[in-house]
């Protein structure tokens, strides 16, 4: 991992940099924690964990610190199921010991997100001791939180040190192991859409960063058979891949290398869960299922030939007012946020469509080539999901045909990022692909 840290000039014209000092991944690396306490000249770390992560690694961290004569304070969230919201952040801040000069988070997604926020507001260095290879936020400088009932990404700060001891990671709940690989499988789509977006909109793209993701993804897939057997190599490959995903996003300065339309499926389901209490699963599980559906839709797209008359007619007939009503009904407060966002982004500006359609038509063969190069076949991806026991049926997470159709159409409104649903809108086939997705949920 050290080869990916620090600063390096790239042929893409940018200076790639990531704000991580060290990454330790492997068997028995946790006892090296005091090295970093000493490196940062910390006298008294503050430990942050929840009930589950305290049992998984917190007790071990405390023993290590005590054995080295290092004083510490600790706060263990009492919640059985910790939610990443204002209450949790407030609780962490209120229990923070101002006499502490370093923060050590012990956990995965939620603890890490809260720990990064606490690190930012307190100005202390931050070390995360991972307890599960379940998501790609370990190396990111943002925190995925629920705020005012909305799912948001808050600017926080990146961990200074990431420690992933495979003796601990391989003991994570099976569902979290699946989630980590599921989040990695999403990278098939993210790289394909990043390349397509660059072709159509002229946005920044870096082949070096893309190759970093491809290599990490291949290692995960090659070792997938051993993941549920808790094989060291498989668990390490997933955790490394997730860290590399965060590093790649830092290099690119955007989330493109690690997330595409499949992540937006998951975001929509999370938003509905917050608003209406509908079922939600772990982010990586949802991303894996959405990746499967996205690959199926891209397979269908390959049989399309850009039709100027059809595309222009569909765009002309599109009524944003009507669509806004549907968004509000489907997503509630999150829909309102998207509508307000569109007033700034103008994604549906009909005057900009002809030029964008022409770029699509001119580059159609190149787009098809990208899909062939980057995406697995439906059969190949199905085998991977079967290997780790993730269903291909969206109904298993409470998503029926109508919800699936509206989810796909709503993905184009989440961010100003050129993804499959935006491409389908430009081609005038958004409804066709949405219907196809809905039909797949009836089988």
């Amino acid at each position: 991992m050290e080869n990916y840290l620090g600063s390096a000039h790239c042929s893409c014209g940018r200076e790639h940099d990531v704000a991580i000092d060290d990454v330790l991944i492997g068997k028995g690396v946790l006892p090296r924690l005091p090295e970093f306490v000493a490196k940062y000249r910390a006298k008294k770390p503050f430990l942050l964990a929840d009930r589950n992560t305290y049992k998984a690694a917190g007790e071990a961290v405390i023993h290590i610190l005590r054995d080295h004569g290092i004083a510490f304070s600790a706060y263990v969230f009492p919640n059985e199921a910790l939610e990443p919201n204002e209450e949790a952040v407030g609780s962490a801040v209120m229990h923070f010991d101002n006499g502490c000069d370093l923060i050590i988070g012990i956990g995965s997604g939620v603890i890490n997100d809260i720990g990064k926020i606490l690190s930012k507001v307190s100005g202390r260095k931050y070390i995360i001791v991972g307890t599960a290879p379940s998501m790609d936020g370990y190396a990111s400088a943002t925190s995925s939180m629920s705020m005012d009932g909305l799912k948001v990404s808050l600017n926080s700060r990146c961990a200074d040190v990431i420690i992933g001891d495979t003796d601990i990671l391989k003991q994570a709940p099976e569902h979290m192991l699946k989630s980590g690989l599921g989040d990695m499988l999403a990278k098939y789509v993210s790289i394909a859409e990043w390349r397509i977006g660059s072709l159509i909109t002229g946005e920044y793209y870096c082949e070096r960063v893309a190759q970093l993701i491809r290599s990490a993804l291949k290692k995960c897939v090659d070792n997938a058979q051993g993941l549920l057997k808790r094989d060291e190599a498989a668990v390490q490959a997933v955790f490394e891949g997730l860290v590399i995903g965060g590093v790649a996003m830092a290099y690119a300065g955007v989330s493109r290398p690690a997330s595409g339309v499949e992540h937006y499926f998951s975001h929509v389901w999370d938003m509905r869960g917050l608003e209406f209490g509908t079922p939600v699963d772990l982010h990586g599980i949802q991303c894996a299922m959405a990746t499967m559906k996205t690959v199926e839709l891209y397979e269908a797209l390959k049989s399309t030939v850009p039709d100027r008359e059809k595309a222009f007619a569909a765009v002309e007939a599109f009524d944003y007012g009507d669509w806004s009503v549907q968004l509000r009904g489907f997503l509630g407060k999150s829909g309102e946020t998207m509508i307000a966002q569109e007033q700034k982004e103008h994604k549906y500006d009909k005057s900009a469509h002809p030029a964008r359609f022409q770029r699509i038509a001119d580059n159609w063969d190149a787009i098809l080539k990208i899909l062939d190069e980057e995406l697995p076949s439906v059969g190949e991806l199905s085998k991977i999901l079967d290997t780790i026991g993730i269903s291909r049926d969206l109904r298993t997470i409470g998503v029926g045909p109508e919800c699936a159709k509206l989810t796909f159409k709503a993905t184009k409104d989440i961010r100003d990022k050129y993804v499959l649903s935006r491409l389908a809108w430009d081609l005038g086939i958004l409804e066709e692909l949405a219907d196809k997705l809905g039909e797949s949920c009836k089988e």
Side-chain angles (χ1 to χ4, degrees):
M1 281 300 302
E2 287 79 3
N3 292 337
Y4 304 130
L5 304 183
S7 179
H9 188 72
C10 182
S11 59
C12 72
R14 292 193 179 185
E15 191 83 9
H16 293 315
D17 194 16
V18 62
I20 302 173
D21 292 334
D22 287 284
V23 176
L24 285 182
I25 304 175
K27 183 178 178 61
V29 297
L30 182 60
R32 291 183 58 187
L33 176 62
E35 293 178 24
F36 300 100
V37 176
K39 176 180 179 178
Y40 295 127
R41 298 176 181 173
K43 302 299 182 184
K44 186 181 180 184
F46 179 77
L47 312 185
L48 188 68
D50 64 27
R51 289 166 61 179
N52 295 321
T53 64
Y54 179 78
K55 293 176 184 175
E59 292 173 340
V61 167
I62 287 173
H63 284 309
I64 289 168
L65 294 180
R66 283 177 174 161
D67 286 347
H68 285 77
I70 300 171
F72 62 88
S73 286
Y75 177 59
V76 178
F77 286 96
N79 315 56
E80 189 64 41
L82 183 63
E83 293 295 327
N85 55 23
E86 300 97 328
E87 180 183 354
V89 172
S91 185
V93 171
M94 292 178 71
H95 286 89
F96 179 67
D97 181 344
N98 279 317
C100 292
D101 46 10
L102 173 70
I103 296 169
I104 301 175
I106 304 164
S108 56
V110 178
I111 287 292
N112 188 46
D113 282 334
I114 296 170
K116 288 187 288 186
I117 293 173
L118 185 60
S119 172
K120 181 178 181 179
V121 300
S122 68
R124 270 64 165 188
K125 292 279 190 177
Y126 177 56
I127 297 173
I128 178 66
V129 175
T131 56
S134 54
M135 51 84 227
D136 63 4
Y138 283 111
S140 79
T142 62
S143 293
S144 180
M145 306 296 291
S146 300
M147 187 173 72
D148 297 329
L150 298 177
K151 195 77 171 180
V152 297
S153 291
L154 298 179
N155 288 326
S156 50
R157 70 183 301 275
C158 198
D160 297 283
V161 178
I162 300 169
I163 298 177
D165 191 321
T166 53
D167 286 334
I168 294 168
L169 297 172
K170 69 182 183 181
Q171 301 302 324
E174 184 176 279
H175 209 52
M176 297 185 85
L177 297 177
K178 294 179 181 182
S179 178
L181 183 54
D183 206 338
M184 284 304 299
L185 293 176
K187 284 34 171 178
Y188 281 123
V189 175
S190 64
I191 296 301
E193 292 190 330
W194 193 16
R195 291 179 64 187
I196 292 170
S198 182
L199 273 180
I200 305 308
T201 70
E203 69 174 275
Y204 164 77
Y205 170 78
C206 176
E207 178 58 25
R208 179 190 172 198
V209 173
Q211 187 54 40
L212 196 62
I213 291 289
R214 291 189 197 103
S215 297
L217 174 55
K218 183 179 186 302
K219 192 173 180 180
C220 290
V221 171
D222 288 348
N223 286 278
Q225 292 276 358
L227 186 63
L228 299 191
K229 300 172 186 175
R230 303 181 185 276
D231 175 74
E232 296 267 355
V235 172
Q236 181 164 333
V238 172
F239 191 82
E240 282 183 350
L242 294 168
V243 171
I244 287 171
V247 170
M249 287 188 280
Y251 276 178
V254 291
S255 63
R256 270 297 200 185
S259 73
V261 75
E262 79 300 320
H263 268 60
Y264 289 176
F265 274 82
S266 182
H267 291 340
V268 167
W269 297 331
D270 287 344
M271 290 172 187
R272 282 181 53 78
L274 284 170
E275 182 78 11
F276 306 115
T278 52
V280 292
D281 209 322
L282 292 179
H283 172 69
I285 301 292
Q286 293 182 165
C287 283
M289 299 179 77
T291 296
M292 184 75 248
K293 295 305 177 184
T294 301
V295 169
E296 290 174 358
L297 292 178
Y298 270 120
E299 281 292 318
L301 184 76
K302 289 180 182 179
S303 63
T304 298
V305 176
D307 183 325
R308 185 183 184 88
E309 184 176 336
K310 179 179 181 178
F312 280 39
V315 167
E316 186 58 36
F318 177 77
D319 188 318
Y320 186 70
D322 288 346
W323 172 236
S324 296
V325 172
Q326 291 186 65
L327 266 182
R328 288 189 183 97
F330 185 55
L331 292 175
K333 291 190 290 291
S334 297
E336 292 289 356
T337 301
M338 292 178 185
I339 292 165
Q341 190 171 280
E342 172 56 21
Q343 293 178 8
K344 301 175 184 177
E345 295 175 349
H346 308 293
K347 296 185 294 293
Y348 296 108
D349 179 0
K350 294 182 180 181
S351 67
H353 174 253
R356 201 164 54 242
F357 177 85
Q358 192 58 51
R359 285 193 293 274
I360 295 169
D362 291 344
N363 289 283
W364 191 245
D365 288 343
I367 290 170
L368 296 181
K369 187 171 184 288
I370 289 170
L371 297 179
D372 286 337
E373 290 174 348
E374 302 292 353
L375 298 184
S377 69
V378 170
E380 289 169 339
L381 188 56
S382 294
K383 287 180 182 177
I384 300 171
L385 294 187
D386 287 346
T387 296
I388 58 174
I390 294 181
S391 174
R392 299 187 294 274
D393 187 350
L394 296 184
R395 291 173 297 182
T396 62
I397 56 171
V399 177
E402 286 306 311
C403 180
K405 289 165 63 174
L406 282 168
T407 295
F408 178 59
K409 291 194 282 188
T411 58
K412 66 190 185 324
D413 293 79
I414 292 181
R415 303 274 191 280
D416 189 12
K417 184 188 287 187
Y418 203 79
V419 296
L420 174 58
S421 48
R422 295 276 302 279
L423 176 60
W425 189 84
D426 279 342
L427 288 168
I429 60 170
L430 181 69
E431 294 295 336
E432 291 175 31
L433 290 189
D435 287 342
K436 186 173 288 291
L437 176 61
E439 285 298 317
S440 76
C441 294
K442 297 177 181 177
E443 297 172 359

